[in-house]
Amino acid sequence: MPKKISGTALFFLGMGLLLLISLPQSLSFYIDWLWFQDLGLEKVFTTKLNAQFLSALAGGFTAFLITYINLWTAIRATKGRTIVMPLHLQGMPQLTILGHVEKLKVIVPSLLGLVTAAMYAGNWLTLLTWLHASDFAYADPVFNRNASFYVFTLPVMEVVSGSVMLILVASLISAAFLYLVKGAIFIHPRGIGAERSAQVHLSVLGGLLFLVLSLSTYIDMHAILYSQTGLITGAAYTDVHATIPFFKARMALAVIIALLLVFHAFLRRSILVLGGIGLYIAVSFIGNSVYPAVIHKFVVAPNELVKETPFIKNNISATRKAYNIDGVEERDISGSTSLSQADIRTNRATIENIRLWDHKPLLDTFSQVQEIRTYYDFTSVDIDRYVIEGKYRQTMLSARELSSENIPTRNWINETLTFTHGYGLTLGPVNQVTSEGLPVLFVKDIPPASSARDLSISRPEIYFGELSGSHVIVNTRSKEFDYPSGEENVFTSYAGSKGVKIDSWFRKLLFSAHFGSLKLFLSNDITRDSRVLFNRKISDRVRNVMPFLLLDRDPYMVISEKGDLFWMYDAYTASSRFPYAQRIGRRNSLNYIRNSVKITINAYDGSMVFYIADMNDPIVRTYDRAFPGTMQPLSKMPADLRRHVRYPEDIFNIQSAIYSTYHMEDPQIFYNREDQWEVPAMGSDAQADVMEPYYTIMRLPREKKEEFILMLPFTPKKKQNLAAWMVARSDGDEYGKLLVYRFPKDRLVYGPRQIVARINQDTEISRQISLWDQRGSQVIQGTLLVIPIESSLIYVQPLYLRAESGKIPELKRVIVAYENRIAMDETLDQALSRIFGDIGMPAKQRAEGQHAVPAEQTGGNLASQAKEHFDRAMKAQREGEWALYGEEIKQLGDIIRKMQKDR
């Protein structure tokens, strides 16, 4: 016979398995601690750890204690009895169960304690924010509770209610099983019977279950205020006058049934308990479906507007507060003011900052002309503004990051020790092009060369970015590639103070196990001064520190005055529990949002600083109290970085979507959707071609100076004329203020889609596009921009030409539309001059910067231009770009005719 395994051996075997299972998690835990310590954010790590531990301890111990007491009570009440299971009816023999059933009093509580501990550890943030909750400046109009109750307290009640229900159900089932196998619960001809001790115990547990059920009903009753059950989010007429009263009745019945169960434990009046339970089921069914349906059909539906008006008001008020649009300033503009040459000249700064480069064509161009090597990549183009040579200029910037997937020879040394970082960036104005139709660049090449004295980069290395993924090790014996220089390479050494040191064989072993690479442990290139940089992707970096923040989709790079590169990241606090606020987002996932946090990340060493951008937000105040010292006021941000803070697009998209409906504050107008707006669509598929908000520098109507803004136009629902446009301001003390400019309803102001239709119908433009859009070339119609000037509008659309044989799009024409006039020309200034006459600006922008060219061309200038067009035509002919060849020949002919006329 095989030998039995001793209890001691089983114990050590179990401990070994437990250690084997927990080792990877313990290793990851220690690595995380080193990472947080390196960043100086130990407080975040320890706060989270303490919250998880204490939450798990409280939940697990409570579950263990309650379950253990119940099972101990059941075992003590049946002490000394034989363990039997009655499986007979009048004469069937009993089945004796072998084993030690009494061990259940340890096994079940232990298992339940572990499950509950895991549940509470997973809800550590819910419990932590509840302990540090801040009040909102809003109370719901039904129960008069502060919104803090719904956002912070109710989630904790849900966790407690769910866990206690689990504990009591497990205790009830386990105790009933023990009573059954020990004969305290038995089957007889008249049904199921129980001894007094078992009856008392199980009745008390049943009573406690109904008390928890009452609490759960209380939670559900309040949850109606952020649920959408009808016309609006929140409690409507039927909810307030039918559903909520029945919820209250169910709560009262559950308490009464709990008392009846306790009463039954001593006096054995089963009929009262069964009657109460039956009544509870009936009230639940009638209150959940029958009575609300009757009230809605016969009371609400015949006069819905009158009945729902107070609740529509609640929804409008709460939604405007939840999305921070209750402070939007509305201004009326006529839209009928005629623009003149003088207006164009007066708004020269606005004209000079009209964006002629779209993100996609510009990114393609950067990828072709500025990546330099295959292992560099531009992932996005960011809009920002700088003061350059005394002028406030809107710029487009893209960071040159390292793509490890494109390293020529991919091996551990190259990917981990040699190719460690990206290098520099490209930056140029939004409105200038070269004579070849390519963007003018103020900062370009490797190493970065700047043509603007206001822009200089002293630390171009990018170790942390949007693309950076895997870990790298710096300060090793292996040469660290810096940048290519002709046929040679330049090498460097990391000089930052961040990065976890690998200063012992133990840490080498730990990181080798963590990254799953034995080469790290065996490598002779790693010294005591070596550092490992990991979590280098900035989105992962921020989420590891503050996983409870929602991150913007578009972080952007900023050049500091010292020439360092920083990533600016916007983050949001959000909730889905704000009472009466309309839901939005994927699967209606939120109904409250604030851009409360700004984050700066040093692209060189990865250091992060978190700033509170909205101290009026109770959620961020709660996080600040929960993690003291982690976030700083926005006023502490260095001035050179503070000047580049901008209003983020993601929250502006949400606010504009909400405002398109919730600008209607009159309940009757809101109910009928009489004045609902929508974001214009720019094609046949409205969902795919909806306009995106865009940044620009302009002087707003009735304002004194130009400023950096984010704007988006609105059209009436299912109509194409313009109704209004919305602006978010970004500069100085005006940061965060929202404005809406409304056009009169009795005046037709062309919307973007109407302008696009008119552009496509213009014979000259159609002919030119048809000429280009033939074999060998592709015409790209850029984004149509709505540009407010004074109290009127102009529309600007760039046209790009790209040969199928190449990927570099060239800016070939600019289209300007104003009222009933449309003009297309080589430059924005020329197109404007065709509409408004000579606007007194440079006639040529196709140069490295704007320089004055006399409006009256001389014969010599014409001859020079003729030669340029001829040379470009010959080049296009050699390269097979026949559309470009035809265009250059056409322009050559125009110049020759002008020269003949001058004679």
Side-chain angles (χ1 to χ4, degrees):
M1 294 203 39
K3 293 183 178 180
K4 293 181 66 177
I5 301 176
S6 67
T8 304
L10 283 172
F11 173 79
F12 282 108
L13 180 61
M15 291 299 294
L17 288 173
L18 181 62
L19 182 63
L20 188 64
I21 293 171
S22 62
L23 184 61
Q25 191 170 0
S26 301
L27 174 62
S28 179
F29 172 83
Y30 180 66
I31 296 294
D32 285 345
W33 162 251
L34 293 176
W35 185 75
F36 276 90
Q37 189 179 47
D38 177 60
L39 289 173
L41 295 171
E42 305 97 321
K43 188 73 173 180
V44 176
F45 184 86
T46 55
T47 299
K48 177 182 176 180
L49 180 63
N50 291 336
Q52 287 178 321
F53 175 75
L54 294 176
S55 298
L57 181 64
F61 179 74
T62 302
F64 178 89
L65 186 63
I66 293 174
T67 312
Y68 182 84
I69 289 173
N70 279 286
L71 295 183
W72 177 81
T73 301
I75 290 172
R76 185 181 181 189
T78 57
K79 187 176 182 180
R81 295 193 177 196
T82 305
I83 300 174
V84 294
M85 180 177 288
L87 296 175
H88 69 289
L89 290 173
Q90 299 201 4
M92 288 183 66
Q94 291 185 335
L95 175 67
T96 302
I97 298 177
L98 300 176
H100 303 281
V101 176
E102 292 187 3
K103 291 182 179 179
L104 287 175
K105 73 177 181 181
V106 176
I107 296 173
V108 172
S110 298
L111 292 176
L112 195 62
L114 289 175
V115 171
T116 309
M119 181 190 301
Y120 274 71
N123 286 280
W124 67 273
L125 185 63
T126 300
L127 299 167
L128 185 66
T129 52
W130 171 65
L131 291 172
H132 298 89
S134 299
D135 283 341
F136 287 73
Y138 175 79
D140 81 85
V142 176
F143 301 110
N144 197 32
R145 287 190 174 276
N146 190 277
S148 174
F149 171 79
Y150 298 90
V151 175
F152 299 119
T153 304
L154 215 57
V156 172
M157 295 176 69
E158 290 177 356
V159 172
V160 172
S161 172
S163 61
V164 173
M165 180 69 75
L166 174 66
I167 293 168
L168 291 177
V169 168
S171 298
L172 181 65
I173 293 173
S174 302
F177 175 75
L178 283 173
Y179 285 125
L180 180 65
V181 299
K182 287 203 172 185
I185 296 177
F186 48 86
I187 300 174
H188 55 78
R190 290 181 298 172
I192 298 176
E195 295 180 357
R196 184 174 182 80
S197 59
Q199 181 177 335
V200 171
H201 186 189
L202 297 180
S203 295
V204 171
L205 282 176
L208 292 175
L209 273 173
F210 271 92
L211 287 179
V212 176
L213 196 60
S214 178
L215 174 62
S216 179
T217 305
Y218 176 84
I219 293 169
D220 293 340
M221 179 180 70
H222 285 83
I224 291 176
L225 268 67
Y226 50 81
S227 303
Q228 185 156 357
T229 56
L231 179 67
I232 58 170
T233 297
Y237 183 94
T238 301
D239 297 313
V240 172
H241 293 89
T243 306
I244 290 177
F246 269 86
F247 268 121
K248 292 179 179 178
R250 285 171 54 191
M251 289 164 51
L253 275 173
V255 174
I256 291 171
I257 293 170
L259 295 175
L260 287 175
L261 280 166
V262 175
F263 179 73
H264 168 70
F266 299 98
L267 299 181
R268 300 191 180 187
R269 296 292 186 267
S270 300
I271 189 67
L272 293 177
V273 175
L274 294 176
I277 293 174
L279 182 60
Y280 181 86
I281 294 172
V283 167
S284 299
F285 174 73
I286 294 171
N288 285 343
S289 54
V290 178
Y291 187 62
V294 170
I295 292 296
H296 181 77
K297 183 173 182 178
F298 295 104
V299 178
V300 177
N303 202 10
E304 188 173 43
L305 177 58
V306 173
K307 296 297 184 182
E308 300 290 12
T309 290
F311 308 103
I312 292 174
K313 287 182 178 179
N314 294 340
N315 175 251
I316 293 172
S317 174
T319 300
R320 290 172 64 91
K321 290 180 184 297
Y323 294 97
N324 203 24
I325 57 174
D326 54 333
V328 172
E329 181 184 350
E330 291 193 354
R331 298 179 181 179
D332 293 326
I333 54 175
S334 65
S336 60
T337 303
S338 296
L339 292 178
S340 63
Q341 292 176 342
D343 293 323
I344 301 298
R345 295 186 188 118
T346 301
N347 289 274
R348 177 175 174 79
T350 297
I351 300 298
E352 288 183 344
N353 284 285
I354 294 175
R355 177 168 57 84
L356 300 181
W357 283 102
D358 284 355
H359 291 73
K360 183 63 170 65
L362 188 61
L363 189 61
D364 290 343
T365 301
F366 283 170
S367 298
Q368 291 297 310
V369 303
Q370 279 292 304
E371 281 186 356
I372 312 298
R373 293 289 189 272
T374 58
Y375 40 77
Y376 289 127
D377 197 4
F378 293 105
T379 59
S380 64
V381 176
D382 300 316
I383 303 291
D384 201 1
R385 71 281 197 198
Y386 290 84
V387 176
I388 300 174
E389 296 179 358
K391 290 185 177 182
Y392 199 35
R393 303 293 298 272
Q394 185 180 186
T395 61
M396 303 187 81
L397 177 153
S398 189
R400 187 184 293 104
E401 297 195 58
L402 180 74
S403 174
S404 58
E405 295 179 356
N406 295 322
I407 294 173
T409 304
R410 296 192 63 183
N411 54 49
W412 184 81
I413 292 178
N414 278 347
E415 293 184 28
T416 310
L417 308 181
T418 304
F419 292 91
T420 59
H421 58 272
Y423 202 86
L425 52 82
T426 60
L427 181 149
V430 297
N431 67 323
Q432 290 181 252
V433 293
T434 66
S435 58
E436 292 81 17
L438 300 177
V440 169
L441 297 177
F442 291 153
V443 180
K444 60 182 179 179
D445 298 338
I446 296 178
S450 175
S451 60
R453 63 175 181 271
D454 304 278
L455 297 172
S456 62
I457 300 176
S458 59
R459 181 61 78 184
E461 297 89 350
I462 302 174
Y463 285 90
F464 301 85
E466 295 181 84
L467 195 60
S468 306
S470 60
H471 67 283
V472 296
I473 302 174
V474 294
N475 296 342
T476 65
R477 294 188 180 96
S478 178
K479 289 184 177 181
E480 184 183 347
F481 172 78
D482 198 22
Y483 63 88
S485 180
E487 298 299 324
E488 302 294 329
N489 290 330
V490 177
F491 296 92
T492 188
S493 292
Y494 176 74
S497 60
K498 300 298 180 184
V500 180
K501 281 192 172 184
I502 312 177
D503 52 5
S504 65
W505 70 266
F506 178 68
R507 285 198 177 182
K508 284 183 69 174
L509 180 63
L510 286 180
F511 281 109
S512 181
H514 180 70
F515 294 125
S517 173
L518 188 61
K519 293 177 182 178
L520 192 156
F521 182 71
L522 298 177
S523 175
N524 293 323
D525 291 322
I526 297 174
T527 70
R528 295 184 64 85
D529 295 324
S530 297
R531 295 175 182 265
V532 57
L533 308 178
F534 56 105
N535 293 332
R536 296 194 301 134
K537 190 173 182 179
I538 57 175
S539 57
D540 296 340
R541 202 166 181 81
V542 174
R543 286 192 182 99
N544 283 342
V545 176
M546 293 194 174
F548 41 82
L549 295 177
L550 300 180
L551 299 183
D552 192 80
R553 291 175 298 173
D554 186 28
Y556 57 102
M557 181 165 277
V558 170
I559 305 172
S560 72
E561 287 183 349
K562 295 180 179 179
D564 295 329
L565 302 181
F566 288 86
W567 292 100
M568 298 282 283
Y569 220 146
D570 286 284
Y572 308 101
T573 54
S575 175
S576 60
R577 297 171 177 267
F578 196 86
Y580 268 108
Q582 189 66 33
R583 289 175 172 269
I584 199 172
R586 293 181 180 177
R587 296 187 295 273
N588 291 327
S589 56
L590 64 87
N591 70 350
Y592 175 94
I593 189 168
R594 290 291 188 276
N595 174 218
S596 296
V597 180
K598 306 279 187 181
I599 307 157
T600 61
I601 306 168
N602 190 306
Y604 184 74
D605 65 16
S607 56
M608 295 185 289
V609 183
F610 296 80
Y611 298 95
I612 299 177
D614 184 1
M615 281 302 298
N616 293 321
D617 173 32
I619 297 181
V620 81
R621 292 204 309 269
T622 298
Y623 290 150
D624 189 40
R625 291 165 63 176
F627 301 94
T630 304
M631 294 183 280
Q632 303 178 21
L634 189 60
S635 58
K636 298 288 186 181
M637 182 182 288
D640 58 334
L641 299 182
R642 178 71 177 85
R643 286 193 292 270
H644 294 279
V645 166
R646 69 184 192 187
Y647 201 87
E649 288 186 61
D650 282 358
I651 191 172
F652 187 72
N653 271 319
I654 292 172
Q655 289 174 316
S656 58
I658 291 294
Y659 196 80
S660 65
T661 299
Y662 283 86
H663 70 276
M664 299 179 287
E665 296 187 70
D666 183 278
Q668 183 173 351
I669 296 175
F670 181 91
Y671 176 81
N672 294 316
R673 298 296 197 266
E674 296 176 22
D675 191 26
Q676 187 170 5
W677 300 339
E678 64 183 1
V679 178
M682 301 301 294
S684 57
D685 186 349
Q687 294 300 317
D689 300 316
V690 170
M691 284 189 72
E692 294 288 337
Y694 51 91
Y695 294 100
T696 188
I697 290 177
M698 63 169 290
R699 182 166 62 86
L700 294 170
R702 298 193 289 274
E703 297 294 334
K704 295 180 179 179
K705 65 177 183 177
E706 287 74 22
E707 56 185 292
F708 187 68
I709 63 166
L710 180 63
M711 70 169 290
L712 185 67
F714 292 114
T715 59
K717 184 76 171 180
K718 296 182 179 180
K719 293 185 178 180
Q720 296 181 10
N721 60 290
L722 212 59
W725 47 282
M726 190 174 192
V727 168
R729 308 172 80 171
S730 293
D731 288 348
D733 295 335
E734 303 298 327
Y735 174 82
K737 293 182 180 178
L738 300 178
L739 300 175
V740 170
Y741 291 87
R742 303 179 62 140
F743 295 105
K745 296 179 182 179
D746 58 354
R747 175 175 170 78
L748 174 63
V749 179
Y750 287 122
R753 197 165 186 175
Q754 292 170 318
I755 294 294
V756 169
R758 292 183 61 228
I759 289 173
N760 293 334
Q761 293 167 7
D762 186 277
T763 54
E764 179 186 349
I765 296 174
S766 297
R767 180 185 60 81
Q768 185 64 70
I769 290 177
S770 297
L771 176 63
W772 281 331
D773 203 5
Q774 55 184 288
R775 185 178 181 183
S777 299
Q778 175 191 5
V779 175
I780 303 171
Q781 292 182 278
T783 302
L784 181 75
L785 301 181
V786 183
I787 307 297
I789 295 181
E790 301 299 336
S791 293
S792 191
L793 300 172
I794 64 171
Y795 296 83
V796 177
Q797 183 180 44
L799 290 182
Y800 311 96
L801 189 65
R802 174 164 54 189
E804 290 184 4
S805 58
K807 293 184 178 181
I808 303 179
E810 299 176 2
L811 179 62
K812 300 303 292 185
R813 292 289 186 272
V814 179
I815 301 172
V816 175
Y818 170 67
E819 293 185 342
N820 293 316
R821 286 169 281 178
I822 296 177
M824 181 177 74
D825 219 311
E826 291 186 27
T827 69
L828 175 60
D829 290 349
Q830 289 172 336
L832 287 169
S833 294
R834 291 182 62 179
I835 292 178
F836 299 102
D838 183 6
I839 59 175
M841 293 186 182
K844 204 73 168 168
Q845 282 184 329
R846 290 179 175 272
E848 297 289 344
Q850 293 183 320
H851 61 273
V853 177
E856 190 176 318
Q857 299 287 352
T858 66
N861 286 333
L862 291 172
S864 176
Q865 289 183 44
K867 185 179 184 304
E868 288 180 7
H869 286 296
F870 177 79
D871 291 341
R872 286 201 291 266
M874 293 300 99
K875 179 182 177 184
Q877 184 187 46
R878 289 192 298 270
E879 295 176 354
E881 297 185 14
W882 298 110
L884 180 59
Y885 171 80
E887 170 61 17
E888 295 295 345
I889 290 296
K890 175 183 175 295
Q891 294 189 42
L892 176 60
D894 291 341
I895 292 174
I896 291 173
R897 284 189 291 273
K898 187 178 292 185
M899 292 172 70
Q900 290 174 338
K901 183 179 178 180
D902 291 343
R903 288 180 182 177

